[in-house]
Amino acid sequence: MSVGVQKRLGDLLRDIAGLTEARLNEALAQQRESGAPLGEILVNLRYVTREQFLEALARQFDLPFLPALPRTSVNGPLLAKIPLSFAKRYGLVPLVEAHGQVPVAIADPLNLHLIDDVRLLTGAPVTPVLASAEAIEEVLHAQYEQAQETAEQVIEDLDSTHLNQLAESIEETTDLLTATEDAPIIRLLNSLMFRAVKERASDIHIEPYEREVVVRYRIDGVLHNVLTPPKRVHAALISRVKIMAGLDIAERRTPQDGRIGIRIGDREVDIRVSIIPVANGERAVLRLLDKEHLLLDLDQLGLSPTIRQRFDHLIRLPHGILLVTGPTGSGKTTTLYAALSQINSPDKNILTIEDPIEYQLKGIGQMQINPKINLTFASSLRSILRQDPDVILVGEIRDAETAEISIHAALTGHLVFSTLHTNDAAGAVTRLIDMGIEPFLVASSVVAIMAQRLVRTICSSCRQSHAPAPEELARLGLARSSADGGRPVMLSRGAGCPACAGSGYRGRVAIYEILVVDDQIRRMIMAKADAKAIGDAAVAAGMRTLREDGMAKVLQGATTAEEVLRVTQQAV
């Protein structure tokens, strides 16, 4: 096939995009000054579209042009013969055979010699076609599930490997899809992290026991065993985790914390690493923070219309403290991030103090505490108050000093968001008083307390309806028939399928209760009423409890009664 220039690129763009000679000369002048590619300059100037430029290049080099690459067009068997790192580096992907030829999409027509390399790698009659780099990268990312070696396969390779040589210090893996290290321990850890992201795990647990190592994933809040490698791989596996997290591999007696940043295809994942010494070695927990799946929209959090309306009002108050309570992993930070994103605007100065900063929020100043240099929540909060903030997020109120400064900030015209670890909304009041805060300060500064839990949602692939047993209805406080016409209550559940790994659940949604501090609650706080009395008064004033909000989601078919009962056992 001839690749000689048949026509000037400017003439082709004039025919395809109506590019004038003056605009072409302007772009050429910019190219001489900057050295940037001509196509990039023309696209940035909006004189041509990227597709129009690629079409002109294809005509110039006498190549077919594909504006789009459907995932079904990829030739999977041939792609398996090409190292994925090679395909990504040079921007190429083999397509489904047509007319006895295998088209290979390339992004750069000047790299036609790559076709010879692909021909050698695959032994197939290949021919080049032109496509955009973005389209090629997208279909390559779509293939990563088939391209990744499983952890079980790696375990089989360990028998013939000297484990004491596997944890050598190498550069941090930036993209697991392009990792080319051959050491089985490195491949094992990469595979465990890849599979964890694929299965939506929030944590990876590596737990040593007397004769084996157990690897577990926390998926939708529940731990699942995923792998049991032999005990002899444990030391090398932990060493590899330490290398990636920048920790001391020689220190095995004290706890260590670190961080790993990885990419899997086009997804960025931050991993917080905690390693502690236990009886049979070192135990590691890797917490995965997938930036792609962070919910920053209040509409996606599962707030009922009434609670959403109330919450919208509260996060726009000029001053006061709004507390979000619940156990670790109940989504408190996500709720507050979504609230900040909702009210973020150029006319507000929003600052946060966090431990650690889990996600970067555009337009918001975020500060991470560092106790080693005495940068605590309390000292950071004092400094932030001199930055003229309108809204302050304090990651957690852990002590009386932080609570006192937060209350001072609220009383001097700032809106303060923070979290507490309590079982329900009313319990936050007594927790603050137990810290030593005067009741009148709590009553005058706290405007509302929201408690939340996460419940697993029913898998949409295996959802089925059923008539609940009387005892199930009784536990939820439901009658045998609904209020609408006396029809029997029908609930939903998941039968279990491959999509949910047989659990019947896939994903999670939050349930909430929100206690607004009105005049009556203020008087009760001043009188040092207990949490139960405050909670009862809030319910009498119309507060929907966690279990009642969960019950509503059961009736909507979002979750099951068992899930609501599981997470609200201590919150009723």
Side-chain angles (χ1 to χ4, degrees), residues 296 320-324 332-341 343 349-359 361 364-369 377 380-381 384-385 389-397 402 406 409 414-420:
L296 292 180
I321 297 178
L322 174 61
L323 295 172
V324 179
K332 300 185 298 296
T333 300
T334 299
T335 297
L336 289 177
Y337 274 2
L340 290 181
S341 298
I343 63 174
N349 181 21
I350 302 177
L351 299 173
T352 76
I353 308 164
E354 305 175 60
D355 181 25
I357 296 172
E358 295 190 2
Y359 299 99
L361 300 174
I364 293 175
Q366 296 174 264
M367 183 176 183
Q368 179 160 329
I369 72 166
F377 277 117
S380 301
L381 187 50
I384 272 185
L385 287 173
D390 297 297
V391 182
I392 304 169
L393 166 63
V394 180
E396 183 184 347
I397 293 179
T402 306
S406 299
H414 304 87
L415 182 60
V416 180
F417 297 160
S418 192
T419 69
L420 271 178

Side-chain angles (χ1 to χ4, degrees), residues 134-199:
E134 293 80 8
I136 291 172
E137 188 172 13
E138 183 178 345
V139 294
L140 285 173
H141 286 164
Q143 297 298 309
Y144 70 78
E145 293 186 11
Q146 290 78 30
Q148 186 73 8
E149 189 175 18
T150 68
E152 289 82 355
Q153 291 170 333
V154 179
I155 289 293
E156 295 176 3
D157 296 339
L158 291 172
D159 289 331
S160 58
T161 305
H162 299 292
L163 293 178
N164 60 344
Q165 299 175 354
L166 295 184
E168 68 271 17
S169 179
I170 65 170
E171 291 184 4
E172 177 184 317
T173 300
T174 57
D175 188 342
L176 298 191
L177 301 189
T178 57
T180 57
E181 297 89 348
D182 291 328
I185 285 294
I186 295 173
R187 300 204 316 272
L188 173 61
L189 183 58
N190 286 353
S191 180
L192 288 171
M193 292 190 293
F194 169 86
R195 179 175 169 187
V197 173
K198 178 184 171 186
E199 296 187 7

Side-chain angles (χ1 to χ4, degrees), residues 213-229:
V213 180
V214 175
V215 178
R216 299 195 289 174
Y217 291 164
R218 187 177 294 279
I219 301 172
D220 293 334
V222 178
L223 283 169
H224 302 267
N225 284 5
V226 294
L227 191 67
T228 309

